[in-house]
Amino acid sequence: MNNPLTFTFALALGDDALIAAQRLAEWATRAPEMEEDIALANIALDQLGAARLLLSYAGELEGAGRDEDALAFLRDDREFRNCLLVELPNGDFAMTMAKLLVLSAYQLPLYTALAGCADERLAAIGGKARKESAYHLDHAALWVKRLGDGTEESHRRMQAGIDQVWPYAHELFVAQPQAPVDPATLRGEFDDTVSAVLAEATLTVPESGWAPGGGRDGVHTEDLSYLLAEMQVLHRAHPGARW
Amino acid sequence: MYGSDFPGEDAPGGLLGEVEAAEAALRSAAARDREVAGPDTDLADHFAEIVAADQKIEPRDWMPEAYRRTLIRQIAQHAHSEIIGMQPEGNWISRAPSLKRKAILLAKVQDEAGHGLYLYAAAETLGISRDELVDMLLEGRQKYSSIFNYPTLTWADVGAIGWLVDGAAIVNQVPLCRCSYGPYARAMIRVCKEESFHQRQGYEILHTLAHGTPAQQAMAQDAVDRWWYPSLAMFGPPDGDSTHSARSMAWKIKRFSNDELRQRFVDMCVGQAEVLGLTIPDPELRWNDERQAYDFTQPDYAELMRVISGDGPCNRQRMDHRRRAHHEGAWVREAAAAYAAKQASREKVAA
Ligand SMILES: [Fe+2]
Ligand SMILES: [Fe+2]
């Protein structure tokens, strides 16, 4: 393999985007309003598009002949490298927006930094994806504010969503000094972005010492295996078939 | 977004050309001067003249109350069909067999939501709100196309829906691009263009399956076997039994009879099925030289009536799903309204 560190990095980002897309797409036909059905599908499509670019590139770096589909459909959960955040079940709409806020506030500075990195392919992917992430962040921030500062019920649900999701942010910023972008360097911008949104939404930043992790090493929650079972079932039932 | 990463050409007999012709006709109708109704003009005569001249009735024009009601009913039911129609295909997004197919399918289901929204907006120009129309759907007072009450059992059903159901929808809707009511005609042009992409994508899914492994070929044939007759039934009951047709024809809301459109659809599909290498499940299907059209077996209209009346395989499931999404989203819509009201009052204070 040419560059195992870049491979691992591209794979992890690709898996984040793929699993996020799979979860967001679960909202299709179920969103709270029709416009939101369209918006969530858009965001899912952006994530899926980024996933395809990243996984294709990871496959090329690996040099073992695996394409985007081999990586998406033929690995087991212990081989996936996504963060735990994206595999968490959607919960209610507030929890989904909490997940999207944390994810996009992480992906935006990440892709922005990637756009300036030395690896040309990753730089091109970062340059494209950061514009999409900016829209995802706007969308999530708008809903977090609406729900946080909406009705009593929505405030309660939004705070609960943030409380549930917050501990999973830790894993996103674990230092990888050798990676094309070291996620630890992004934490400051993330904190600034998210705390401004939460303050405007009249929500509080949860205090929790719990910092679950392991996704980057392939140690996931129980949920991922179920997600993959559904996502992979048809592809695996027809080995070698073209679609 | 979609369609561009899609190899392949229009399925033979593709309908995009017809949509473009309707669009050109719409532009030229708009360019022709329309007589303006003065204070002395008889409104009913004026309406009749516009329709006779193939020009468009616009929301501000006088129109017969029955014309308005007919259009509201038809456009709303069309909008409901787009929204309910997201479910059968949405059923396969999570399991799509490749990432490319997943992206195309997700984009398609998203397009259907968009179609629903333009159509609700077109209906709103007739003086009714989307909320009222959605309530009528949820209370079962307005219908949606019966085709969506059939289940999608395999991946090939996604292909069969694209090819046959979107195909039948386009055959039905291309003439609506020339409908006398302007907002509906314009919405249909936009919708038909996207539907023709859907049809092409469905055809391509089936083509890949039909040229794939034996299991994939069997899956494709099974899907066509199940979707063929329900697709024929999409054109509605035979002309003799159709209740609203004559008046809608006179108003140029409808331009061809159910049976004419059904025939056009069959004639279009036969050649496409041959290219696909799939069999249309009709032993009576054969070319009739005298009629210059295919003879074919009619769908089971008793079954169509049962499905319309609520007893299809998935009617309950589709309605429960839609009602659940609506009810579970209520707190979100309330929050958005409360937040908007707070913002508005803050702006007032600030001003
Ligand atoms: Fe549609
Ligand atoms: Fe469609």
Side-chain angles (χ1 to χ4, degrees):
Chain A
M1 195 182 308
N2 294 338
N3 190 336
L5 261 174
T6 310
F7 165 74
T8 311
F9 184 78
L11 189 67
L13 266 51
D15 286 348
D16 282 354
L18 175 61
I19 304 302
Q22 184 75 4
R23 283 293 186 218
L24 285 164
E26 290 173 16
W27 277 100
T29 77
R30 293 180 174 83
E33 40 185 50
M34 292 173 202
E35 286 81 355
E36 190 59 21
D37 225 297
I38 294 176
L40 290 174
N42 250 330
I43 298 172
L45 279 166
D46 288 343
Q47 294 285 349
L48 186 52
R52 294 179 64 189
L53 295 173
L54 287 160
L55 293 179
S56 295
Y57 185 42
E60 287 172 37
L61 288 170
E62 186 190 38
R66 292 202 284 185
D67 63 6
E68 59 179 39
D69 286 336
L71 288 169
F73 294 100
L74 298 175
R75 280 181 300 154
D76 292 331
D77 65 304
R78 296 280 283 106
E79 299 164 274
F80 270 76
R81 290 292 178 269
N82 59 278
C83 58
L84 304 183
L85 171 76
V86 292
E87 71 198 45
L88 298 178
N90 284 332
D92 66 3
F93 184 70
M95 178 162 164
T96 294
M97 285 302 123
K99 283 177 68 182
L100 185 61
L101 177 70
V102 170
L103 179 67
S104 56
Y106 152 74
Q107 283 180 330
L108 177 57
L110 174 67
Y111 287 138
T112 303
L114 206 57
C117 83
D119 183 302
E120 268 177 37
R121 285 281 291 282
L122 286 178
I125 296 170
K128 178 177 184 295
R130 72 175 166 185
K131 293 175 205 142
E132 297 165 352
S133 294
Y135 158 69
H136 306 169
L137 178 59
D138 277 351
H139 191 77
L142 179 62
W143 273 114
V144 169
K145 289 181 221 166
R146 280 173 174 164
L147 298 179
D149 194 17
T151 63
E152 234 169 85
E153 181 184 8
S154 70
H155 178 85
R156 175 177 57 71
R157 285 176 181 258
M158 195 63 243
Q159 185 66 57
I162 293 287
D163 291 349
Q164 254 179 304
V165 161
W166 194 251
Y168 293 91
H170 174 80
E171 183 189 18
L172 306 174
F173 302 101
V174 172
Q176 301 172 50
Q178 309 300 318
V181 172
D182 179 0
T185 61
L186 311 171
R187 180 82 208 209
E189 186 178 342
F190 171 87
D191 283 333
D192 291 348
T193 306
V194 173
S195 40
V197 173
L198 295 185
E200 210 187 314
T202 72
L203 298 165
T204 49
V205 179
E207 279 177 49
S208 166
W210 185 47
R216 301 292 186 217
D217 301 316
V219 181
H220 291 275
T221 65
E222 291 174 350
D223 298 305
L224 183 62
S225 174
Y226 288 97
L227 179 151
L228 295 179
E230 185 174 336
M231 184 174 89
Q232 298 175 338
V233 61
L234 176 59
H235 185 97
R236 289 194 179 208
H238 299 264
R242 281 184 52 249
W243 300 97
Chain B
M1 237 201 4
Y2 77 90
S4 50
D5 69 336
F6 197 79
E9 299 142 35
D10 240 344
L15 288 155
L16 200 53
E18 287 192 42
V19 178
E20 280 160 3
E23 190 175 22
L26 188 93
R27 286 220 188 85
S28 80
R32 272 178 277 147
D33 274 345
R34 229 184 59 157
E35 213 181 305
V36 181
D40 303 328
T41 319
D42 180 281
L43 293 170
D45 286 349
H46 186 66
F47 171 85
E49 279 160 23
I50 292 175
V51 171
D54 275 329
Q55 293 191 313
K56 300 298 166 202
I57 302 293
E58 295 299 335
R60 61 181 182 280
D61 292 332
W62 181 89
M63 62 189 84
E65 207 34 48
Y67 176 86
R68 181 188 301 275
R69 277 200 311 274
T70 299
L71 275 169
I72 289 176
R73 195 187 101 251
Q74 181 171 336
I75 299 172
Q77 294 188 354
H78 190 166
H80 303 330
S81 302
E82 300 285 355
I83 297 298
I84 298 289
M86 296 164 69
Q87 292 180 39
E89 289 185 282
N91 182 40
W92 281 93
I93 294 171
S94 68
R95 293 172 293 168
S98 72
L99 297 185
K100 180 180 134 190
R101 291 289 176 207
K102 188 192 290 288
I104 292 172
L105 181 58
L106 185 52
K108 179 186 175 184
V109 171
Q110 183 192 39
D111 284 347
E112 305 302 2
H115 298 172
L117 290 182
Y118 324 142
L119 285 160
Y120 284 124
E124 284 187 317
T125 64
L126 292 157
I128 188 156
S129 72
R130 179 169 117 193
D131 287 350
E132 290 173 273
L133 296 172
V134 168
D135 283 345
M136 283 197 264
L137 169 67
L138 297 180
E139 289 162 12
R141 289 189 286 136
Q142 283 184 337
K143 304 278 186 204
Y144 54 88
S145 177
S146 286
I147 193 74
F148 301 121
N149 291 317
Y150 290 87
T152 47
L153 302 179
T154 72
W155 170 251
D157 290 29
V158 173
I161 288 184
W163 179 43
L164 295 173
V165 175
D166 285 279
I170 304 167
V171 169
N172 247 325
Q173 290 168 20
V174 162
L176 294 173
C177 297
R178 297 170 186 268
C179 159
S180 59
Y181 188 58
Y184 192 26
R186 290 188 287 271
M188 289 322 305
I189 284 172
R190 200 165 158 189
V191 167
C192 279
K193 284 186 182 171
E194 293 184 353
E195 300 296 9
S196 59
F197 280 112
H198 299 168
Q199 197 221 8
R200 188 199 291 189
Q201 290 160 354
Y203 180 87
E204 223 259 346
I205 288 175
L206 285 181
H207 193 273
T208 306
L209 294 175
H211 295 81
T213 66
Q216 287 177 307
Q217 289 167 26
M219 192 193 283
Q221 184 62 54
D222 168 60
V224 170
D225 290 348
R226 281 181 289 110
W227 288 93
W228 174 251
Y229 286 104
S231 301
L232 292 188
M234 284 174 71
F235 296 93
D239 294 348
D241 308 349
S242 182
T243 40
H244 304 286
S245 279
R247 203 172 52 177
S248 287
M249 295 269 229
W251 281 332
K252 295 188 182 170
I253 294 174
K254 209 174 152 77
R255 288 176 177 262
F256 300 96
S257 75
N258 295 352
D259 287 334
E260 283 172 306
L261 293 170
R262 192 170 4 250
Q263 181 73 57
R264 185 178 294 184
F265 176 69
V266 171
D267 293 347
M268 179 183 93
C269 288
V270 174
Q272 295 179 354
E274 277 167 19
V275 180
L276 287 172
L278 295 170
T279 306
I280 290 175
D282 180 359
E284 306 304 320
L285 186 73
R286 62 179 58 88
W287 179 250
N288 181 326
D289 220 26
E290 215 168 292
R291 293 200 305 119
Q292 286 293 300
Y294 284 91
D295 290 338
F296 62 95
T297 304
Q298 294 289 322
D300 178 351
Y301 293 112
E303 175 180 318
L304 174 64
M305 291 308 142
R306 276 198 305 282
V307 180
I308 289 177
S309 71
D311 289 339
C314 300
N315 297 59
R316 286 161 179 76
Q317 178 187 334
R318 300 289 184 242
M319 287 304 291
D320 285 350
H321 182 108
R322 194 65 237 140
R323 287 193 191 107
R324 196 179 326 119
H326 189 77
H327 291 142
E328 287 179 359
W331 69 272
V332 176
R333 296 190 299 274
E334 282 159 21
Y339 178 78
K342 284 185 201 178
Q343 291 295 101
S345 71
R346 275 175 205 143
E347 270 164 33
K348 228 187 220 165
V349 172

